Structures are given as structure tokens and as C-alpha cells.
């Protein structure tokens, strides 16, 4: 009984000591917890302030390049980690889940994509009604331009589906496919009894599917989700491979923390 009473007293004393904390110590502990967030906010604020102040200085392109050099390095390092971060996090996230749960998440992702597409289309309709592109007054003020709008909404949807199933996974990490049209002019020959005369030029529209220097992130995501679901269905046989991607995810996250600091 004596031992238990002494233990209760020591616990009560510890609780009282923990409760008595000065406001300065509380503020200091919050600053330590959110140091990275505070420094990021200060850096963004300082960058905006310097940007507006140096705007009127009419700096040369070389000076602007030197000022933006540290930010360019930071963006390069972060872009370098996008692909391993997406691959490792998606594969491990899907592989750890149950097949039923991953199916629900896939359904939610499809619903989110459809909803975002509907919102984007609605925003486009609202902007068309308000801005009225192609109006005669707008053409007279801005000009008609020379570029031809050849890619239709059907082409965009079909390109989306094509990029969802890349033919080469390594190529998908550096290139993305897109529809292109080329126009070939052909002169029509009008034959008469005495001579032949060149008629009007006819343009033939030729379809091409070319690759641009841009990551096909949609194809990479589709492959990683399917790969993770197969790992989840294999169970213990794929534990070594799952552990590999878990370690890769942890290494990539540590890389991101080091770069952000």
C-alpha cells in the first residue's frame, strides 16, 4: 500500500510539472514543430517583395538569370524526384491495401476525374459566353491570327486513352504522345480538248501521332496502380518486391526532406 501511494504521489508531481509551462516555452515549441513551414512562408514573402521592388530596376537578362539560378537548381532537384516518388508511393500504397479497398479507391479516382472534367467543361462554356472568342469586334481589335486549330476534342480524348496505355514504359517516362496533322497541297489538273490547265489547290489532311518531350505521367500512374494490385493479389510471394518499393519510398521521402531544407 505504501509503495502504491508513493507511486501515485510521484505521478501527480510529474503531471503538475508538465502542466506548468510558460507561454514563451509554448511558442518556442510551436516554432520548432513548424520551422520548415515558417521558413517557407518567409522565403515566399521575401521573394514576392524583392520581385516587386526589382521590377522597376530594368535588370538585364543575365542579372535575372543569376538571381533565379538557386531557384532553378531547387526546381531541377525536385523534378528529378517526381518519377521515383510517384512510382514508389503508388505501388506501395496500392499493394498494401486489400483488393476491395483498392477497387473502391479506383472508383473514387474515376468519379473525381469525371467531376473535374465536367467542371472544366462548364468553366469553358462560361468563359466562352463572357469573353465571346471569335466576335467581330474582338477580331478587329486583336486580329484573326495565322495558326490553324486542327486538334479536336475527339483527338484529345483519344490521345488521353492512348497515353493511358503506353507502348514503351521507359519512353513514357520522358515522352508523351499527341496527335498532329499535316497538310499536303495537291494541284488538280483540268483537262480540255486542246490543253490541260492547273486548277485550284486541294489540301489533304494527314493524321500523325508524334511524341513530345514531356513525361507521360498518366501512363506511368496506370502501370503503377496495376503493378501494385498484382503485388497485393500475390500475397507472400511478392513480399520481397513490396519491401523493396517501401524502402525506395522512404529513401525518396528523405531526399525530398533534405532538398527542402
Amino acid at each position: 500500500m505504501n509503495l502504491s501511494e508513493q507511486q501515485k504521489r510521484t505521478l501527480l508531481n510529474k503531471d503538475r510539472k508538465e502542466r506548468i509551462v510558460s507561454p514563451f516555452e509554448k511558442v518556442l515549441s510551436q516554432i520548432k514543430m513548424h520551422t520548415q513551414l515558417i521558413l517557407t512562408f518567409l522565403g515566399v514573402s521575401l521573394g514576392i517583395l524583392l520581385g516587386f521592388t526589382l521590377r522597376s530596376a530594368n535588370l538585364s537578362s543575365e542579372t535575372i538569370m543569376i538571381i533565379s539560378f538557386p531557384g532553378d537548381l531547387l526546381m531541377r532537384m525536385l523534378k528529378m524526384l517526381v518519377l521515383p516518388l510517384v512510382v514508389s508511393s503508388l505501388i506501395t500504397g496500392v499493394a498494401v491495401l486489400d483488393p476491395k479497398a483498392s477497387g473502391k479507391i479506383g472508383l473514387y479516382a474515376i468519379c473525381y476525374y469525371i467531376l473535374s472534367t465536367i467542371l472544366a467543361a462548364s468553366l469553358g462554356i462560361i468563359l466562352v459566353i463572357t469573353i465571346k472568342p471569335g466576335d467581330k469586334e474582338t477580331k478587329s481589335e486583336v486580329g484573326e491570327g495565322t495558326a490553324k486549330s486542327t486538334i479536336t476534342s475527339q483527338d484529345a480524348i483519344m490521345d488521353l486513352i492512348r497515353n493511358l496505355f503506353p507502348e514503351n514504359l521507359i519512353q513514357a517516362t520522358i515522352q508523351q504522345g499527341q496527335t498532329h496533322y499535316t497538310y499536303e497541297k495537291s494541284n488538280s489538273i483540268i483537262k480540255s480538248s486542246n490543253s490541260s490547265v492547273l486548277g485550284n489547290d486541294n489540301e489533304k489532311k494527314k493524321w500523325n501521332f508524334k511524341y513530345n518531350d514531356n513525361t507521360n505521367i498518366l501512363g506511368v500512374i496506370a502501370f503503377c496502380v496495376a503493378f501494385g494490385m498484382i503485388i497485393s493479389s500475390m500475397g507472400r510471394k511478392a513480399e520481397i518486391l513490396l519491401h523493396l518499393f517501401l524502402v525506395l519510398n522512404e529513401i525518396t521521402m528523405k531526399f525530398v526532406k533534405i532538398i527542402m531544407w
Side-chain angles (χ1 to χ4, degrees), residues 99-109:
K100 293 182 179 179
S102 60
K104 288 181 180 179
I105 291 172
L107 182 62
Y108 293 155

Side-chain angles (χ1 to χ4, degrees), residues 130-144:
T130 53
I131 299 171
K132 295 180 180 179
D135 194 4
K136 291 181 179 180
E137 295 179 358
T138 309
K139 283 183 180 181
S140 61
E141 293 176 1
V142 181
E144 295 184 0

Side-chain angles (χ1 to χ4, degrees), residues 158-159 162-163 176-180 207-211:
M158 293 180 72
D159 288 343
R162 288 190 190 98
N163 288 318
Q176 184 179 7
Q178 189 177 4
T179 297
H180 289 274
W207 177 85
N208 291 315
F209 189 72
K210 295 182 180 179
Y211 288 94

Side-chain angles (χ1 to χ4, degrees), residues 57-104:
N58 294 324
L59 299 175
S60 62
S61 59
E62 293 180 357
T63 307
I64 295 171
M65 183 268 293
I66 292 168
I67 294 171
S68 63
F69 182 70
D72 189 15
L73 289 180
L74 177 63
M75 292 304 297
R76 283 175 175 271
M77 288 187 289
L78 289 175
K79 287 179 180 179
M80 174 185 66
L81 295 175
V82 167
L83 193 62
L85 183 63
V86 168
V87 171
S88 59
S89 60
L90 275 174
I91 291 176
T92 53
V94 175
V96 170
L97 294 173
D98 295 330
K100 293 182 179 179
S102 60
K104 288 181 180 179

